[in-house]
Amino acid sequence: MGTFIRHVVPGFALTLLGLWHTVNTIRSYFLKGPSNFRVRFWYPLNCPFPKIKHLELIFILSFSVFAIIMQVLDFPFLNFSFKLHNLEHATMFLHLAIFAGFTFSAQFIYLFQIISGVVGLLMASVFCLELFLLHFHSTDHVGLEEHYHWLLQLIVFALRQERYSLEA
């Protein structure tokens, strides 16, 4: 990722996505109550246009593919950059793209209820892989960047634990 902007833009996009998911989870909990509440892996957009119902999955998939391209191609020279840090970041985004693509395709062939366990395993593996890569990615960072990566690891660990406790 290299530069400050190349860290802030993906971080801001994932923060917005996390806030969207958090607000929808809280809203769903208060609307359905504790006995009928069920955690969702993604939240459809409630609007009069049914074509943009899957906007969250489309956003995750398109952003992940864009981020992978940004990691592999070295802009402004447009040559391939296969540095270890870039491949670590690209692996995180690749796993998110696999999750979003699989979930999106399951929605369109109407198999989401049948294979929701597979989607749950993919989501859990996204968090586990992200925690694993953030931990080993952060070993050579110092100063403010080290604290930033430690905070990210803490957030991912907390979200992973929350996910497991709510599904049980």
Side-chain angles (χ1 to χ4, degrees):
M1 284 190 156
T3 64
F4 180 71
I5 295 296
R6 291 176 88 178
H7 273 95
V8 168
V9 171
F12 184 68
L14 290 174
T15 301
L16 286 178
L17 184 65
L19 286 174
W20 162 262
H21 202 76
T22 302
V23 167
N24 280 310
T25 301
I26 292 170
R27 186 180 64 142
S28 176
Y29 180 80
F30 282 118
L31 288 176
K32 294 180 181 178
S35 60
N36 295 331
F37 174 70
R38 197 155 175 216
V39 175
R40 296 187 58 134
F41 301 115
W42 71 281
Y43 286 94
L45 188 63
N46 294 328
C47 68
F49 306 110
K51 295 216 183 242
I52 59 172
K53 174 183 169 184
H54 301 95
L55 192 63
E56 180 181 352
L57 292 174
I58 293 169
F59 176 72
I60 293 172
L61 184 61
S62 60
F63 178 75
S64 296
V65 169
F66 177 71
I68 291 169
I69 291 170
M70 291 292 292
Q71 292 302 313
V72 174
L73 287 180
D74 185 22
F75 292 105
F77 305 113
L78 292 178
N79 57 353
F80 290 109
S81 175
F82 294 114
K83 298 175 186 167
L84 183 60
H85 288 297
N86 292 353
L87 292 177
E88 289 171 350
H89 288 114
T91 304
M92 287 184 216
F93 290 117
L94 176 65
H95 216 72
L96 271 173
I98 291 170
F99 160 74
F102 185 81
T103 307
F104 194 60
S105 62
Q107 284 291 326
F108 273 110
I109 57 175
Y110 302 108
L111 288 178
F112 187 75
Q113 296 301 325
I114 297 170
I115 57 174
S116 65
V118 175
V119 173
L121 284 173
L122 281 174
M123 178 59 93
S125 68
V126 166
F127 282 122
C128 289
L129 178 78
E130 192 171 348
L131 183 63
F132 175 77
L133 286 175
L134 277 172
H135 179 71
F136 286 105
H137 175 77
S138 304
T139 57
D140 63 343
H141 293 313
V142 292
L144 184 61
E145 194 172 15
E146 177 187 17
H147 293 295
Y148 174 73
H149 279 89
W150 181 81
L151 181 62
L152 282 175
Q153 289 178 53
L154 188 64
I155 290 169
V156 169
F157 182 74
L159 288 174
R160 186 176 69 91
Q161 295 297 30
E162 172 197 359
R163 213 22 108 191
Y164 289 142
S165 67
L166 288 174
E167 289 174 1

